[in-house]
Amino acid sequence: MNRFSRVVLLTVLTFALIAAFSFPAASFAQDDTPGKLQEVIDRGVLNCGVNGQLPGFAALNPDTNVMEGFDADFCRAVAAAIFGEATEDNVNFVQLTAQERFTAVQTGQVDVLFRNTTATFSRDTELGLDFGPTTFYDGQGLMVRADAGVTSIDDLNGASICSLTGTTTELNITEAMESRGLEYELVPFEQSSETIAAFEEGRCDVLTSDRSQLAGLRSNAADPGSMVMLDDVISKEPLGPAYLAGDAQWGDVVNWTVYATIQAEEFGITSENVSEFLSSDNDSILRFLGQGDSATGSLVGLDNDFVVNVITSVGNYGEMFARNVGPDSDLGLARGQNALWTDGGLMYSPPWR
């Protein structure tokens, strides 16, 4: 090896040594900033964003001053996972309009959003948000007056259409009408309560929103029988929780709380019988409930039996669905796509192993 080659080799080895000692340190550097879970624990309150005016999902009961509904119960589920129970003091329901909801997450006004919000590509990639598991598979529908003589979207040429502004609803109806070459006028509002009020007053011919929202708004109308939903479904609307991106632990807390309600229904564990399963001879169930040597909860920074606390507080997914939006509720919705995968639906929890 000549002198030049030795110099080149020495230089290469020097840079290799620098890289070997430098890059691993950078790669494994830890962020000491407390995460959202610790922030919520220290605060003692979960700030949960909800609609607040949508019967069946999140609406304030004027008689009890209690926030009721499917989304409100998921807020309570997360609070129970963190604090061991859900109380009036440890869940703060923050009522948000469609326009306000994402900013509320981005600025930290709310820790998580359960506001019948559709997970979309652009919201996931452009807004700095992550979406959790789908809690309700929905689709956009159209509601008209029963005496209007309308049977499908193709009969709506020249119609005025009430919708929420700043939503996928607005975009979907625009594409649906324009792709059919139909004339129409959008009548936008910021609140769900404003859309149904305008529809009842005859300020628009059609009210469009997710079909579950239409059912909820109709249930609270002065004359529900005067309104009908068309069979047309013009979009996919997977509704679920949203939270700020970049905090994996917080995402795990929200996601696995949702999954816990689904898995509990699959195991047949309810709010009424959960204590009976604590001595089950089924290892899968004991692991799911965090019993024995199972470290289920501690892996995400929660008590090992956080699933027990969630189910005790709000019940399993099926109980939440039936109580708030199911066939015997004011909304009267069938499980449909929201049935468990074992019953032909789309509700599915990853394995608890």
Side-chain angles (χ1 to χ4, degrees), residues 257-338:
T257 296
V258 173
Y259 287 137
T261 66
I262 299 170
Q263 184 62 60
E265 183 181 11
E266 187 175 333
F267 277 140
I269 302 173
T270 71
S271 57
E272 298 295 325
N273 66 18
V274 60
S275 61
E276 300 171 17
F277 282 87
L278 299 180
S279 56
S280 171
D281 56 5
N282 183 323
D283 289 341
S284 296
I285 290 178
L286 292 178
R287 182 168 56 246
F288 172 61
L289 297 176
Q291 301 303 297
D293 297 330
S294 172
T296 305
S298 64
L299 296 176
V300 291
L302 301 172
D303 291 341
N304 280 336
D305 62 348
F306 81 96
V307 169
V308 176
N309 298 328
V310 169
I311 304 308
T312 300
S313 295
V314 300
N316 65 36
Y317 182 90
E319 290 179 275
M320 296 165 70
F321 190 99
R323 180 169 63 237
N324 295 299
V325 300
D328 296 328
S329 72
D330 289 341
L331 272 65
L333 300 178
R335 284 291 292 269
Q337 295 174 314
N338 294 295

Side-chain angles (χ1 to χ4, degrees), residues 14 61 99 120 132 152 233 259 261 293 339 344:
T14 299
N61 185 321
Q99 293 281 19
T120 70
S152 81
V233 178
Y259 287 137
T261 66
D293 297 330

